[in-house]
């Protein structure tokens, strides 16, 4: 699978249920290869493997994923922590079988770069900041999708 990384989580650790006192590490990312299709990728393993893999690429990089395990996703659980994707599957990376290679999008396919700026939600499912300001009382307590642009970043 070749795609551009459009989102990525930080590395996290959890107690290993099989090895008491040990930790398992994970992180996930989302890749896109067309305007319509994108998929979540999750990796679990030893700390060294997960940290090294996570540091090997960033959002905006093109990656080639070889030998991922394809799994059905559990929509309710999966989409609490990852972007909602149009696929009913996710990719799972294994330290022993999977390989992730990074390359320049210019080397791979310049069309992939344009996918970075496409929203992942239905264009009819957004509120603008103006809508929120005007209708704030009626939206109180609701979870909303917001489409906005960052104008500046400072201390």
């Amino acid at each position: 699978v070749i795609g551009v990384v459009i989102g990525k989580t930080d590395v996290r650790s959890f107690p290993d249920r099989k090895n008491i006192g040990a930790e398992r590490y994970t992180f996930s990312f989302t890749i896109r290869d067309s305007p319509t299709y994108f998929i979540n990728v999750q990796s679990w393993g030893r700390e060294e493997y997960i940290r090294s893999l996570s540091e090997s690429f960033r959002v905006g990089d093109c990656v080639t994923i070889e030998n991922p395990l394809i799994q059905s996703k559990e929509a309710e659980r999966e989409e609490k922590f990852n972007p909602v994707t149009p696929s009913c599957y996710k990719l799972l990376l294994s330290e022993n079988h999977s390989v992730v290679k990074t390359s320049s999008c210019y080397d791979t396919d310049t069309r992939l770069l344009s996918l970075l700026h496409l929203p992942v939600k239905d264009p009819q499912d957004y509120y603008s900041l103006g809508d929120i300001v005007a209708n704030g009382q009626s939206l109180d307590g609701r979870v909303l999708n917001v489409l906005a642009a960052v104008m500046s970043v400072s201390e």
Side-chain angles (χ1 to χ4, degrees):
V1 177
I2 299 174
V4 63
V5 177
I6 62 170
K8 184 177 163 190
T9 67
D10 292 330
V11 172
R12 296 173 304 196
S13 67
F14 296 93
D16 189 338
R17 285 183 258 157
K18 294 179 185 172
N19 299 319
I20 305 302
E23 301 266 318
R24 288 185 72 204
Y25 287 78
T26 185
F27 85 103
S28 59
F29 58 100
T30 306
I31 63 168
R32 185 176 218 162
D33 67 357
S34 73
T36 310
Y37 296 104
F38 48 99
I39 194 165
N40 291 320
V41 183
Q42 189 162 34
S43 185
W44 287 87
R46 297 176 307 110
E47 180 178 12
E48 300 80 29
Y49 167 70
I50 295 299
R51 289 201 186 281
S52 173
L53 182 59
S54 175
E55 292 168 3
S56 71
F57 62 89
R58 60 181 195 227
V59 171
D61 286 347
C62 290
V63 295
T64 301
I65 300 173
E66 298 175 0
N67 297 324
L69 178 65
I70 300 168
Q71 283 188 330
S72 297
K73 68 180 178 185
E74 300 168 40
E76 298 239 344
R77 205 177 103 220
E78 306 277 341
E79 293 176 349
K80 272 186 183 174
F81 306 106
N82 295 304
V84 176
T85 63
S87 172
C88 55
Y89 301 100
K90 67 178 178 179
L91 302 180
L92 190 62
L93 301 180
S94 155
E95 181 173 2
N96 297 326
H97 302 289
S98 308
V99 177
V100 178
K101 299 176 184 174
T102 59
S103 62
S104 163
C105 285
Y106 293 108
D107 295 342
T108 309
D109 189 341
T110 55
R111 291 176 296 168
L112 290 175
L113 280 177
S114 65
L115 302 175
L116 270 173
H117 306 293
L118 293 178
V120 294
K121 293 277 190 178
D122 177 353
Q124 306 306 313
D125 192 24
Y126 288 110
Y127 282 84
S128 70
L129 295 177
D131 291 339
I132 293 169
V133 169
N135 303 304
Q137 295 287 36
S138 65
L139 300 173
D140 189 29
R142 292 187 51 203
V143 176
L144 306 174
N145 294 316
V146 178
L147 181 60
V150 176
M151 291 178 55
S152 68
V153 177
S154 62
E155 290 184 23

